[in-house]
Amino acid sequence: MTDQQREGVRTAGALSSTRPLQQLLQRIRVFDRRRPWVWDLVVTLFWVGAALTDYASSGWRMIAQNLNVPDWQLLVLSLGFTVPLYWRRRHPMAVLLATAPFALANGWTGAILQAHFAQLIAVFNLAVHRPLKQLLPAAVVVLAPLVPGALRYPLAAWDGSFGPAVWGFILTALLGIAVRSRMEHLASLVEHARSLEIERDQQAQLAAAAERTRIAREMHDIIGHNLSVITGLADGGAYAAKKNPERAVQALEAIGTTSRGALGELRRLLDVLREESPAAELAPAPALCDLDSLIEGVRSAGLPVRMTVTGSPVPLSPGMELTLYRVIQEALTNTLKHGGPSATAEVRASYETDSVTVTVTDTGHAHAPASDGTGRGLAGMRERTALYQGTLEAGPLPAGGWRVHLSIPIPPPEGPTP
């Protein structure tokens, strides 16, 4: 076991041993947030009991400057220092102001009750929950009432009462500032974690929206093209059934083949999307090698297509080949839908040194549904092209018909960096 692994085991053991204590503290915090008055009352009663015990046991006589202070004054001073602690968290400065007269009487009478240290509890809450600039007036409120008593009993008052009060105030303020800094640090961590959760949810929503768009584009390309081919075959078969029944049978067989192919592609797509089918049958995405079967299916649907390739084909990424295939498929599908019965199409692919271009033209009517650029098919072609920093131009030809021109840059081959 490595040192890092041993350190991880020790850390895990320490966390597991302190987890019950952390859970208990968390329950106490939750209870305190729901019923803060309970904790305030418990703390107040504790310090009231401590002050009365010091008074009843005459422990105050050990440091007192005047042993002849009446009992009723001692009782009033003990309660005056401790009862206001009930409001220490909500109004710490008000608590200090309320106990200031008792601190003045405590020093002036020479009783020097240790109950006056209860003021430091309000100082701690002031340092934790209030602006730090209030510590300066709080120091004046706490220490100023001790000066008259120190002047009246100078023998040991400066060391016995004023000195400990100064150091107690400084240490309590520093402790409150440390606790406040830790609380603010924890709050910043919680806020950062919350912002990360929000960002994660937003990223998930954006990814889901992008995935829905991609799925819609794929389904449009699959279903739209095959349905257009099936429609062409059905129209041709209905026309041929009157004069040539054999051609009608061929059209029906082609319809069945095309339908089964479309159903198979759709089933594979849905199997991939279905969560309960992780072992869905996967098939390679269409590529340029599948253009022959695509064009053959379009021809069987009644659209004459001529294919021309110039240049030397170069290896392309599967995504680029899928983009070229889908653009050609969508362009021919639009010709089937909108070109008319006498339309013909031509596909020209050209491989150059730094790009590959594809041009699909037809002699049919202008594609009115997509001519304004709002058709889903044309938008899908543009989205696919933009993924590879390509350009797509689509529009009617002056002499009639429609033209789709696609150009995608070929990335340079990866090699060793000089």
Side-chain angles (χ1 to χ4, degrees):
M1 181 181 294
T2 63
D3 295 340
Q4 186 176 5
Q5 290 175 340
R6 285 194 291 269
E7 183 65 24
V9 171
R10 286 194 295 268
T11 304
L15 292 176
S16 62
S17 61
T18 59
R19 186 174 291 111
L21 178 60
Q22 294 176 358
Q23 293 176 351
L24 177 61
L25 293 177
Q26 183 63 25
R27 294 193 187 97
I28 294 176
R29 294 190 189 98
V30 172
F31 180 83
D32 184 44
R33 283 195 295 267
R34 294 178 179 175
R35 300 176 180 86
W37 64 271
V38 175
W39 181 248
D40 293 337
L41 182 61
V42 169
V43 172
T44 302
L45 292 178
F46 173 80
W47 288 107
V48 168
L52 294 180
T53 300
D54 181 63
Y55 155 70
S57 62
S58 299
W60 61 277
R61 296 178 178 272
M62 299 177 62
I63 60 173
Q65 299 297 319
N66 180 13
L67 302 180
N68 298 320
V69 181
D71 291 342
W72 68 268
Q73 290 186 4
L74 297 175
L75 179 61
V76 171
L77 291 176
S78 299
L79 295 178
F81 281 123
T82 54
V83 171
L85 293 178
Y86 181 81
W87 296 275
R88 73 195 183 283
R89 288 197 291 185
R90 287 167 289 178
H91 309 287
M93 182 58 75
V95 171
L96 292 177
L97 292 174
T99 57
F102 298 96
L104 177 61
N106 184 50
W108 184 257
T109 59
I112 317 298
L113 292 178
Q114 299 185 48
H116 77 276
F117 285 108
Q119 289 182 302
L120 299 181
I121 301 176
V123 173
F124 175 80
N125 286 271
L126 184 70
V128 172
H129 301 293
R130 293 294 184 268
L132 296 180
K133 62 183 180 181
Q134 294 186 8
L135 287 175
L136 183 59
V140 175
V141 173
V142 172
L143 300 178
L146 302 179
V147 175
L151 294 177
R152 184 178 183 185
Y153 301 97
L155 182 60
W158 292 102
D159 295 333
S161 61
F162 194 81
V166 172
W167 285 108
F169 181 91
I170 294 174
L171 295 178
T172 303
L174 292 177
L175 179 61
I177 293 174
V179 173
R180 180 196 190 105
S181 300
R182 179 170 178 81
M183 292 172 58
E184 292 177 350
H185 178 65
L186 291 177
S188 66
L189 292 179
V190 171
E191 182 62 27
H192 181 63
R194 185 180 295 108
S195 64
L196 289 179
E197 291 180 358
I198 295 175
E199 183 179 358
R200 180 198 61 190
D201 295 340
Q202 292 176 347
Q203 292 293 336
Q205 293 175 1
L206 292 175
E211 187 65 14
R212 285 195 297 268
T213 302
R214 187 188 67 82
I215 293 171
R217 185 171 59 233
E218 288 293 331
M219 296 189 69
H220 173 271
D221 292 339
I222 294 172
I223 299 175
H225 170 73
N226 288 284
L227 287 181
S228 298
V229 172
I230 291 172
T231 301
L233 290 171
D235 293 339
Y239 177 79
K242 301 176 182 178
K243 298 181 179 180
N244 192 345
E246 294 181 359
R247 293 297 302 271
V249 173
Q250 294 176 359
L252 291 175
E253 292 176 352
I255 289 175
T257 302
T258 305
S259 300
R260 284 189 292 272
L263 185 60
E265 291 187 42
L266 184 60
R267 184 181 293 113
R268 282 191 292 270
L269 179 61
L270 295 178
D271 286 343
V272 172
L273 298 177
R274 191 178 300 121
E275 295 181 359
E276 64 270 15
S277 179
E281 180 184 357
L282 303 178
L288 295 180
C289 60
D290 300 312
L291 283 178
D292 292 338
S293 59
L294 171 67
I295 293 176
E296 187 62 31
V298 174
R299 287 171 180 167
S300 64
L303 176 64
V305 181
R306 185 175 63 179
M307 179 75 181
T308 304
V309 179
T310 59
S312 300
V314 296
L316 301 175
S317 65
M320 292 179 65
E321 291 201 7
L322 177 62
T323 297
L324 295 172
Y325 179 91
R326 291 303 190 195
V327 169
I328 295 173
Q329 181 188 53
E330 182 62 28
L332 295 177
T333 300
N334 288 337
T335 303
L336 278 173
K337 290 180 179 179
H338 314 294
S342 60
T344 61
E346 180 180 3
V347 179
R348 295 192 302 272
S350 175
Y351 292 90
E352 302 177 3
T353 57
D354 56 352
S355 65
V356 56
T357 60
V358 172
T359 303
V360 182
T361 57
D362 62 61
T363 60
H365 305 297
H367 304 171
S371 60
D372 58 352
T374 60
R376 181 178 293 273
L378 188 57
M381 287 193 288
R382 288 200 173 98
E383 290 174 0
R384 290 183 184 275
T385 305
L387 290 176
Y388 297 95
Q389 292 77 44
T391 58
L392 179 74
E393 299 176 359
L397 295 172
W402 192 264
R403 174 180 176 270
V404 175
H405 179 75
L406 166 69
S407 177
I408 295 181
I410 299 176
E414 297 182 359
T417 303

